[in-house]
Amino acid sequence: MINEKMTDVLNKQINNEIYSAYLYMSMSAHSTHIGLKGFANWFMVQYQEEMVHAMKLYDYMNSQGGKVRLQALDQPPSEFDSPLDMFEKTLTHEQFITKCINDLVDLAMAEKDHATNIFLQWFVTEQIEEEGNDNDIISKLKRIGGDGNALFMIDKELATRVFVPSVGTQQA
Ligand SMILES: [Fe+2]
Ligand SMILES: [Fe+2]
């Protein structure tokens, strides 16, 4: 059983995860628009992962008797200065999400909600991976500067990313 306080913040996190999906969907559309199909693929995989994160929270709430209340989504940006700008905004956003997850863990501990605390550990680990991936790509993009051929190579590399559904979600 989740208490009302925890229910409210988990509902907010469902909204944060769906907003993340929305943001990356927007970046995917922008990438397609400027002819970077690999970047578009990478961001669309990211969109799918974020929807899985939202569904994990949704399923957890339902399983624990919490009431899911969906909230309005903010409009994501649709213009970006460069591929580097997209990844810098991605990292900034993920750092915000990491802070949200940390705050959720703090609250679960304060409320002595051990089940939710354990449930949230998956997200703590996931955020380490997400920030790491973004940092990797940012450093590559910084290294190549304005080299169009090198950007083409990175686009080819990002085209190989495949969505792998994580174990334990009800999404097949
Ligand atoms: Fe997420
Ligand atoms: Fe994320």
Side-chain angles (χ1 to χ4, degrees), residues 19-75:
Y19 175 79
S20 304
Y22 215 35
L23 174 64
Y24 301 136
M25 189 187 207
S26 183
M27 290 180 179
S28 183
H30 180 76
S31 300
T32 298
H33 193 69
I34 60 173
L36 293 172
K37 285 187 178 163
F39 281 77
N41 172 68
W42 194 95
F43 283 114
M44 199 47 88
V45 172
Q46 196 60 30
Y47 157 85
Q48 289 174 293
E49 285 203 352
E50 299 300 350
M51 289 307 293
V52 170
H53 299 171
M55 286 309 298
K56 270 185 192 288
L57 289 153
Y58 175 95
D59 289 341
Y60 178 71
M61 288 271 277
N62 282 335
S63 74
Q64 298 300 301
K67 177 80 174 78
V68 170
R69 293 186 188 90
L70 297 178
Q71 303 169 9
L73 288 170
D74 289 335
Q75 182 177 348

Side-chain angles (χ1 to χ4, degrees), residues 13 16-17 20 24 46 49-51 53-54 94 97 101 122-123 126-127 130:
Q13 192 57 25
N16 287 337
E17 298 291 348
S20 304
Y24 301 136
Q46 196 60 30
E49 285 203 352
E50 299 300 350
M51 289 307 293
H53 299 171
E94 290 302 328
I97 295 292
I101 299 291
W122 182 91
F123 286 86
E126 173 69 11
Q127 286 309 116
E130 294 234 353

Side-chain angles (χ1 to χ4, degrees), residues 5-167:
K5 221 190 223 174
M6 208 69 232
T7 297
D8 284 349
V9 290
L10 288 173
N11 270 318
K12 180 61 197 158
Q13 192 57 25
I14 291 176
N15 183 264
N16 287 337
E17 298 291 348
I18 297 178
Y19 175 79
S20 304
Y22 215 35
L23 174 64
Y24 301 136
M25 189 187 207
S26 183
M27 290 180 179
S28 183
H30 180 76
S31 300
T32 298
H33 193 69
I34 60 173
L36 293 172
K37 285 187 178 163
F39 281 77
N41 172 68
W42 194 95
F43 283 114
M44 199 47 88
V45 172
Q46 196 60 30
Y47 157 85
Q48 289 174 293
E49 285 203 352
E50 299 300 350
M51 289 307 293
V52 170
H53 299 171
M55 286 309 298
K56 270 185 192 288
L57 289 153
Y58 175 95
D59 289 341
Y60 178 71
M61 288 271 277
N62 282 335
S63 74
Q64 298 300 301
K67 177 80 174 78
V68 170
R69 293 186 188 90
L70 297 178
Q71 303 169 9
L73 288 170
D74 289 335
Q75 182 177 348
S78 52
E79 299 301 329
F80 304 93
D81 295 339
S82 62
L84 177 60
D85 181 42
M86 284 193 285
F87 273 98
E88 283 178 334
K89 287 195 164 80
T90 296
L91 178 61
T92 301
H93 182 66
E94 290 302 328
Q95 287 166 340
F96 161 71
I97 295 292
T98 299
K99 186 183 179 312
C100 293
I101 299 291
N102 288 342
D103 289 348
L104 286 171
V105 172
D106 285 347
L107 183 66
M109 286 167 76
E111 297 290 317
K112 297 189 172 22
D113 184 344
H114 300 293
T116 301
N117 184 17
I118 290 169
F119 166 75
L120 289 169
Q121 297 309 306
W122 182 91
F123 286 86
V124 173
T125 309
E126 173 69 11
Q127 286 309 116
I128 298 170
E129 195 189 310
E130 294 234 353
E131 288 191 29
N133 290 342
D134 299 338
N135 276 317
D136 272 2
I137 297 169
I138 286 170
S139 56
K140 276 183 195 164
L141 287 170
K142 280 187 173 163
R143 215 177 308 134
I144 66 164
D147 183 341
N149 284 333
L151 183 65
F152 177 72
M153 293 307 290
I154 293 179
D155 191 59
K156 270 177 81 171
E157 187 186 323
L158 298 185
T160 63
R161 186 181 186 195
V162 182
F163 173 63
V164 182
S166 59
V167 180

